[in-house]
Amino acid sequence: MARHDSLFFPPAANGWAHPGYTPRPTAQQAARQEHGWRLFGLWILFGAALYQMALCLVHTHVFAVRTAMVGAAEFVLYLGCLLVLARRLQLDVVAILSLCAAYLLLLALLRGSLDAKGFRDLLIVLLFYWLGRSVGDVRTADRFLRILIGVVLLFGFFEMFFVEYYSRVFNVFSYYVSQGGLRGTNWIKDNTLALNSMRPEGIGRTILPGLLGAHRVSSIFLEPVSLGNFAVITAAWGLSKEKTEWRWMLFFVGAAMLMITLADSRYGLMTISCLILMRLAFRGRMHYLLMFLPLVCVLMLIGIALFLPDYHGDNMLGRLRITGVVLSEFGIGELMGLKGYNLGFGDMGYAVLLTRFGLPFFVALWIGFWMIRMKDEQGIRFRAYAALYMSLILAISGTSLMALKTAGVLWFLIGCCALREKPAVARGFADTPAPQSANRKASHVS
């Protein structure tokens, strides 16, 4: 009498399996599943870059989009990241998320109010970093960036040369007014673009004003500031590559310079110049010097305020001086994140960050950022370039660093550069262990 016992007869051999048995996927099936999850992760990333443009399109032609709908769209993207991470949930991810949530809840108890924006900003950093670390690598990041650059330039040239039609398709001004981000009156008559798409009279365009006029292109990001930020991230990725990949380096840097020209991004022009100098001068461990750049920036801001107390120009130097004045007046309450968290600091990024999270938490996150183990020299360079980008943007901008449409891309790329163990591919029945004799021989040789 034949025995149907899985201990003696494997399910593949006799066609029978007990109710709790789950067949292992073959190596080919596991590879297809891995590819499917990678594509899903990239669609999430494209969604993070394009969701504002899609919502603006809906707002212009279908119905008014309010802040709640924008928040719901972001929640769907975060949920997608969690679905990707949940398939191989790692203890360190859960621990870091739990510690950050516990800290923010403690701050909420001490303040007497909950800062939802702080939770949202940390989710962007952690989820998109782990998304890149889970499903990304350098090749995937290259392909993603090339496609996204193509989309950005396509819409950018459409806006530059056919601005009237672009304005009909995307009523950016009305979209931001609907969310309460702008006043209902427009200082530029009949303009449907973002307010900063035109520089005020007396300032004008910085890059090629005679050729391109006063209009600053926003492309898919709806704001020229975000296009400039994306251009810096693109240039940082290109400059981090090895010398043997100089063609791709030129491609990414050239695309970045083109986007900066379209957006007339003074910050982007200055930052890319610094990145090029770093690529020429920095080697090996010198990149770790960027760890101290936020402290240097804060001291420089305070120094500008001290040495130029009577300067009130409506330009970048004037903005830096005001930021330095505010930072020099911070007390223990502001530095610990207990006071000033509910104030609008405008373009003062360091003031926003310190009052929202507190200095101890910011220092802990910054140290953790530098403790990430990178795969190779490209990863080490890109982390240093990202540190330069973040440190400088906090000096002149309040919230653009944590805008999902660019922050998601940045942290995904950092995750792609991080060192990680290769996922174990489930073995099929054709994969058999090495013979015992071979194992003995290998151990003898070693």
Side-chain angles (χ1 to χ4, degrees), residues 233-286:
I233 295 170
T234 300
W237 183 259
L239 289 169
S240 67
K241 291 190 169 298
E242 298 293 339
K243 293 180 180 179
T244 54
E245 298 181 272
W246 62 270
R247 290 182 179 85
W248 285 119
M249 187 186 299
L250 289 178
F251 167 79
F252 286 117
V253 175
M257 293 303 299
L258 182 56
M259 289 185 281
I260 283 174
T261 302
L262 292 175
D264 190 37
S265 174
R266 294 177 294 183
Y267 160 78
L269 185 62
M270 176 187 68
T271 308
I272 288 184
S273 300
C274 294
L275 289 174
I276 293 174
L277 290 176
M278 280 185 62
R279 186 66 177 91
L280 295 173
F282 278 47
R283 296 290 184 273
R285 295 184 179 274
M286 293 177 65

Side-chain angles (χ1 to χ4, degrees), residues 148-198:
L148 187 57
I149 288 170
V151 174
V152 169
L153 289 178
L154 176 65
F155 279 90
F157 285 125
F158 172 57
E159 180 185 352
M160 172 58 71
F161 296 112
F162 305 98
V163 63
E164 182 179 348
Y165 295 102
Y166 179 91
S167 300
R168 292 178 186 175
V169 178
F170 304 104
N171 192 331
V172 181
F173 181 81
S174 175
Y175 173 66
Y176 284 120
V177 169
S178 177
Q179 297 171 46
L182 294 173
R183 295 174 299 170
T185 56
N186 195 344
W187 66 275
I188 303 178
K189 186 178 179 181
D190 299 327
N191 179 43
T192 63
L193 302 175
L195 282 181
N196 54 6
S197 64
M198 298 284 182

Side-chain angles (χ1 to χ4, degrees), residues 136-157:
D137 54 33
V138 173
R139 287 187 177 182
T140 302
D142 278 342
R143 287 193 289 267
F144 162 75
L145 265 186
R146 290 198 295 267
I147 295 173
L148 187 57
I149 288 170
V151 174
V152 169
L153 289 178
L154 176 65
F155 279 90
F157 285 125

Side-chain angles (χ1 to χ4, degrees), residues 168-382:
R168 292 178 186 175
V169 178
F170 304 104
N171 192 331
V172 181
F173 181 81
S174 175
Y175 173 66
Y176 284 120
V177 169
S178 177
Q179 297 171 46
L182 294 173
R183 295 174 299 170
T185 56
N186 195 344
W187 66 275
I188 303 178
K189 186 178 179 181
D190 299 327
N191 179 43
T192 63
L193 302 175
L195 282 181
N196 54 6
S197 64
M198 298 284 182
R199 294 198 187 276
E201 293 185 12
I203 298 178
R205 170 180 275 272
T206 303
I207 306 172
L208 302 179
L211 179 63
L212 301 178
H215 176 210
R216 302 173 65 198
V217 170
S218 305
S219 187
I220 65 171
F221 301 109
L222 307 185
E223 295 178 287
V225 172
S226 295
L227 178 56
N229 293 347
F230 175 72
V232 173
I233 295 170
T234 300
W237 183 259
L239 289 169
S240 67
K241 291 190 169 298
E242 298 293 339
K243 293 180 180 179
T244 54
E245 298 181 272
W246 62 270
R247 290 182 179 85
W248 285 119
M249 187 186 299
L250 289 178
F251 167 79
F252 286 117
V253 175
M257 293 303 299
L258 182 56
M259 289 185 281
I260 283 174
T261 302
L262 292 175
D264 190 37
S265 174
R266 294 177 294 183
Y267 160 78
L269 185 62
M270 176 187 68
T271 308
I272 288 184
S273 300
C274 294
L275 289 174
I276 293 174
L277 290 176
M278 280 185 62
R279 186 66 177 91
L280 295 173
F282 278 47
R283 296 290 184 273
R285 295 184 179 274
M286 293 177 65
H287 292 94
Y288 289 93
L289 293 174
L290 275 293
M291 183 185 300
F292 305 101
L293 189 56
L295 176 61
V296 173
C297 289
V298 170
L299 293 177
M300 287 183 64
L301 290 171
I302 296 175
I304 292 173
L306 292 176
F307 288 102
L308 298 173
D310 300 323
Y311 187 84
H312 299 286
D314 185 14
N315 51 29
M316 184 174 292
L317 183 60
R319 290 162 61 186
L320 296 178
R321 189 198 70 84
I322 294 174
T323 303
V325 171
V326 172
L327 290 175
S328 63
E329 295 174 350
F330 271 16
I332 297 298
E334 287 85 0
L335 292 177
M336 299 302 292
L338 301 177
K339 290 178 61 179
Y341 56 89
N342 53 353
L343 299 179
F345 287 101
D347 293 329
M348 306 175 195
Y350 282 106
V352 172
L353 200 65
L354 289 172
T355 54
R356 173 160 291 160
F357 297 110
L359 181 60
F361 189 64
F362 171 74
V363 171
L365 286 180
W366 191 247
I367 292 174
F369 172 67
W370 286 95
M371 289 178 65
I372 296 173
R373 296 177 60 195
M374 293 298 179
K375 296 178 186 177
D376 49 26
E377 290 295 323
Q378 178 177 348
I380 293 174
R381 283 191 292 267
F382 184 70

